[in-house]
Amino acid sequence: MKKIILTTLSLIILFGLQAQTIIGTTLDYNNTEIAILNSGDFFWDFNDTRYIVPKANGKSPKSTIFSVSIWLGGEEEDGTVHLSAMTYRQRGQDFWPGPHSRDPVSTRTKYNEMFKVSQEEINAHKINSTNPIQSIQNWPGNGDTTKGEPYQLAPFVDLNKNGKYEPSLGDYPSIKGSGAVYCVYSDQGIHTESGGRALGVDVHQLFYQDVAAGFEEVNLASFTVINRSDTSYTNFKFGVYVDFDLGNFSDDFVGCDSTSNMIYAYNGDDND
């Protein structure tokens, strides 16, 4: 029986077949504007930084991060290493939209979206669900099992407990914060960015924001990694690659505080 690895990571951030057009959206429910993509990297648009804190509001935007991506790795019992990791897409990509399936081309097209919804929209839907708005209607609660997709995908509140996402019957997305954006992607393909051997995982990504006291300029994310392969892994690692940009990109320093589980960046000089 294969071993399933289920890993959830939460972050608090303060400051043809291979080719795929990547979809992105802007998350701006609090006093920040951040770009989220649907294939393992975020906070940029492939050219420019898009981590704006605080909101520009007509002024020149200030960003502290150029780009961020996730790195996943693990070993087989015989020591064979698997790696799925993004940097700047200079060589290619390691993640593609949608979960693993038997028809990856159509699945990537189907899930090449960002599913964005606010708590305000959900609250209105809970009062009257007879005509769901698009963001709630299109929430990907269930996959197409005929193509090998998992039946349960994006989290939702299932009022009648039948496992099927039915927004017209009152079901609604289950999110965190005042507003969130969800996507699912996999490493099913040839890894032209890292050159690594695929793990065979699906990644469920949820970025969210809040406007509660102390959270007006904070962005949070959670990732759920599901092993869809027949391989059991040891020494599984989930890493976050961060390219900080504090003004002049060439004079930044980075550090960490292991007692608070924090990484940070600071300027090396005043020339910015």
Side-chain angles (χ1 to χ4, degrees):
M1 180 177 180
K2 72 176 183 179
K3 181 180 179 182
I4 301 296
I5 298 176
L6 176 62
T7 301
T8 300
L9 173 71
S10 293
L11 301 178
I12 298 180
I13 307 168
L14 294 176
F15 19 112
L17 187 64
Q18 294 298 321
Q20 182 76 45
T21 300
I22 303 303
I23 300 296
T25 191
T26 298
L27 200 56
D28 56 359
Y29 292 109
N30 61 5
N31 195 31
T32 72
E33 298 175 0
I34 63 172
I36 308 298
L37 306 174
N38 65 353
S39 290
D41 49 355
F42 25 90
F43 302 166
W44 72 319
D45 62 5
F46 308 143
N47 291 300
D48 298 317
T49 175
R50 289 291 182 268
Y51 190 86
I52 311 303
V53 181
K55 285 181 177 178
N57 294 322
K59 301 179 181 178
S60 177
K62 304 296 184 183
S63 178
T64 56
I65 300 174
F66 180 75
S67 68
V68 178
S69 57
I70 63 171
W71 288 8
L72 310 179
E75 294 182 28
E76 295 186 42
E77 186 177 354
D78 64 2
T80 300
V81 176
H82 294 247
L83 176 68
S84 301
M86 295 297 299
T87 53
Y88 303 109
R89 298 179 179 268
Q90 294 168 308
R91 294 175 295 274
Q93 64 189 95
D94 283 13
F95 297 102
W96 294 265
H100 275 72
S101 81
R102 291 190 290 269
D103 186 1
V105 174
S106 65
T107 294
R108 290 174 183 178
T109 299
K110 173 183 176 183
Y111 291 96
N112 196 21
E113 293 187 47
M114 304 296 295
F115 302 93
K116 183 178 178 182
V117 66
S118 70
Q119 191 60 57
E120 183 178 1
E121 292 170 332
I122 292 173
N123 291 339
H125 176 79
K126 290 161 69 174
I127 295 172
N128 182 4
S129 62
T130 56
N131 188 24
I133 62 174
Q134 184 176 3
S135 61
I136 291 179
Q137 180 67 43
N138 294 342
W139 190 253
N142 300 119
D144 186 349
T145 57
T146 66
K147 294 183 177 180
E149 299 174 11
Y151 186 57
Q152 302 295 330
L153 286 177
F156 65 92
V157 175
D158 185 6
L159 294 183
N160 62 11
K161 308 299 182 183
N162 68 350
K164 184 178 181 180
Y165 182 60
E166 300 166 308
S168 61
L169 298 183
D171 293 351
Y172 54 89
S174 177
I175 67 168
K176 301 176 182 180
S178 301
V181 59
Y182 166 89
C183 65
V184 56
Y185 47 89
S186 78
D187 70 342
Q188 183 180 15
I190 299 173
H191 290 192
T192 52
E193 176 74 351
S194 70
R197 187 188 301 266
L199 286 151
V201 297
D202 290 346
V203 180
H204 297 256
Q205 173 183 293
L206 183 76
F207 272 88
Y208 57 102
Q209 298 172 322
D210 214 332
V211 292
F215 282 85
E216 290 85 353
E217 295 179 355
V218 175
N219 296 292
L220 305 101
S222 65
F223 300 84
T224 300
V225 180
I226 301 176
N227 185 4
R228 297 289 306 284
S229 76
D230 292 321
T231 303
S232 295
Y233 296 106
T234 59
N235 297 322
F236 179 80
K237 304 293 184 182
F238 189 119
V240 180
Y241 169 86
V242 184
D243 179 3
F244 291 102
D245 266 3
L246 299 181
N248 180 5
F249 67 89
S250 66
D251 67 351
D252 295 338
F253 288 84
V254 296
C256 66
D257 180 356
S258 60
T259 61
S260 59
N261 197 25
M262 178 183 293
I263 60 172
Y264 55 87
Y266 57 98
N267 281 126
D269 58 41
D270 293 331
N271 180 22
D272 286 310

